[in-house]
Amino acid sequence: MSAVLAGPRSVADVFDHVWENRSTLQSREAHAMMLLALARENPDLACLTVDMDYEGAFTGALARQHVNLGIAEQNMISVAAGMTVAARPVFATGMAPFVSARAYEQIKVDVAAANLPVKIVGTHGGLASGHYGPTHHALEDIGALRLLPNMTVVVPGDAWEAVQATVAVAQDPGPAYLRLGRQATPSLYGERGDFTLGRARVLREPGRVVFIATGPHPNLVAAEAAGLLAAQGVSAGHLNMHTVKPLDRQAVVDACARAEAVVTIEDHRAAGGLGGAVCETVAEIGGPPVRRIGVPDIHYDLVGGERHLLHHAGVNAANAVAQALQALD
């Protein structure tokens, strides 16, 4: 993370730098650059970490605004909640499988219930650390955290969206969970656009099918699947649902008014996360059939690279196309 210290200093410069390098920067690296820039402009912003690899950027530049708690996620969340008495907002960063599951009670009681401005950042989301095995899979975090009151849940689709989301959650008065990946992924965007919490981005207008995805790889799968369907003469749209909570209900309702089938795609268990949130909305309005693509309800006891594990779980364009066509039958 040496690039964080060597990178641009102001918020505006970070936006420009990340935009120009949006397909080669890791989302967590882009987030760290923006967080450091925000901290320079706001002396009340604090950052807590649990031996994360960009802590040196804060220690060297803004030591008063950073605390490394060691590998102690539960303690970090409680300390973050307490620090909001003097600091706002407080970012608490750890690896997604541990900061979400190990510290769940502290998030529930100390942060969400009290509606405090703690911004929990989970890096290595989904199967990003699949090379370490199932202990490092974060496949339940979206579902678990969207159940908590007051909690905003954001899953940026690329490095560009990661910096936009970092600024958005910093400005939002309540608690938030920001889920980031590990490796750089191709950008979803060809031009700069606005980012609003709770408002989906329409990357392709809904047709007979609409793919609703969250996160980097699922959105890339959705884009590929929509193109494959179009080549077969089946119109297909694509929504990037970067905010899972609050869900953009109106975008789902509008898509369902045009589409005959909905397919959700996520780097998460198929139950409980984005697919669950969309199904809840579609069921309430009596919408079209929904197919959910994610990791199945099994102990995913595999070791491997992120893309390999996602493909093995069925999070791939071929399965997305197949699920869409089955739903249309």
Side-chain angles (χ1 to χ4, degrees):
M1 286 287 181
S2 58
V4 175
L5 272 176
R9 296 180 60 85
S10 73
V11 169
D13 288 344
V14 171
F15 272 130
D16 290 340
H17 176 77
V18 173
W19 174 253
E20 292 170 2
N21 299 279
R22 61 192 182 280
S23 288
T24 57
L25 275 174
Q26 299 172 4
S27 61
R28 58 190 178 127
E29 186 174 56
H31 158 76
M33 287 180 183
M34 182 56 81
L35 187 57
L36 190 56
L38 289 171
R40 288 191 179 104
E41 294 187 1
N42 177 12
D44 291 331
L45 184 150
C47 177
L48 307 185
T49 56
V50 280
D51 279 348
M52 299 302 291
D53 52 3
Y54 64 78
E55 68 192 43
F58 271 83
T59 301
L62 297 167
R64 190 189 69 82
Q65 292 169 257
H66 171 259
V67 181
N68 175 15
L69 277 299
I71 303 176
E73 289 82 2
Q74 294 159 307
N75 189 38
M76 177 179 68
I77 296 300
S78 293
V79 170
M83 283 185 68
T84 60
V85 173
R88 287 176 178 247
V90 179
F91 280 78
T93 303
M95 290 183 69
F98 309 125
V99 75
S100 63
R102 188 175 293 163
Y104 190 73
E105 182 180 4
Q106 285 71 29
I107 297 171
K108 172 184 172 183
V109 176
D110 296 343
V111 175
N115 197 20
L116 294 175
V118 175
K119 319 301 178 177
I120 301 155
V121 182
T123 67
H124 302 70
L127 292 168
S129 288
H131 53 292
Y132 289 129
T135 58
H136 285 62
H137 296 171
L139 297 174
E140 303 82 18
D141 54 336
I142 296 173
L145 289 171
R146 81 176 182 91
L147 291 177
L148 298 179
N150 303 310
M151 184 67 67
T152 295
V153 178
V154 188
V155 190
D158 59 14
W160 170 243
E161 214 162 62
V163 293
Q164 290 183 299
T166 299
V167 173
V169 300
Q171 295 172 343
D172 188 77
Y177 177 59
L178 180 63
R179 189 201 213 218
L180 304 175
R182 176 174 172 268
Q183 297 292 352
T185 55
S187 179
L188 303 174
Y189 301 103
E191 58 184 44
R192 296 171 72 148
D194 295 333
F195 177 96
T196 303
L197 290 175
R199 185 175 299 170
R201 281 174 153 165
V202 180
L203 300 185
R204 191 167 184 154
E205 288 295 332
R208 293 188 65 199
V209 175
V210 62
F211 294 106
I212 304 179
T214 194
H217 290 289
N219 271 294
L220 294 173
V221 167
E224 183 181 356
L228 290 172
L229 280 177
Q232 297 180 38
V234 179
S235 58
H238 174 195
L239 301 185
N240 170 17
M241 196 66 72
H242 53 68
T243 308
V244 179
K245 183 184 178 182
L247 188 78
D248 190 343
R249 177 185 173 88
Q250 191 60 52
V252 176
V253 171
D254 292 345
C256 289
R258 300 174 58 181
E260 301 169 45
V262 177
V263 180
T264 64
I265 308 173
E266 58 195 306
D267 182 5
H268 185 271
R269 294 206 178 275
L274 172 68
V278 170
C279 281
E280 290 162 13
T281 298
V282 175
E284 289 170 359
I285 64 172
V290 180
R291 297 291 184 271
R292 294 172 295 166
I293 293 177
V295 176
D297 186 21
I298 60 173
H299 177 52
Y300 204 43
D301 193 13
L302 295 175
V303 178
E306 181 176 18
R307 294 181 64 184
H308 168 75
L309 292 181
L310 285 170
H311 185 84
H312 185 274
V315 185
N316 58 68
N319 187 38
V321 168
Q323 293 292 329
L325 294 176
Q326 288 175 20
L328 289 175
D329 285 344

